[in-house]
Amino acid sequence: MTDYLITKSGRRLELLSEDEDRRVTQAALSDPDALPLTDEDIAEIERQLRERKAAKPVAK
């Protein structure tokens, strides 16, 4: 049975099976130019996004 995700706009997206997900992940990890983000990387990105949002001027 195939699982789907329904978006807010109603689009139906087919989710990967566990085997497909495992193969995609293994392929990505074997590419030295596509290393996964660490928890620290994600925290830094989130911090920068919060700072940008806070610094954005309010339109009048």
Side-chain angles (χ1 to χ4, degrees):
M1 180 178 143
T2 303
D3 289 325
Y4 294 91
L5 173 75
I6 308 296
T7 66
K8 288 181 181 181
S9 65
R11 289 186 71 180
R12 196 168 121 172
L13 306 174
E14 184 176 339
L15 300 176
L16 296 176
S17 68
E18 286 185 27
D19 183 54
E20 290 169 324
D21 183 60
R22 190 173 16 265
R23 289 192 321 234
V24 168
T25 300
Q26 287 174 348
L29 290 173
S30 70
D31 182 352
D33 293 327
L35 297 176
L37 295 173
T38 64
D39 290 341
E40 292 80 18
D41 294 333
I42 294 170
E44 177 62 17
I45 292 167
E46 290 173 341
R47 183 190 64 76
Q48 290 178 12
L49 289 173
R50 280 192 304 275
E51 286 180 1
R52 275 192 209 157
K53 188 174 182 179
K56 191 174 186 179
V58 176
K60 291 184 179 182

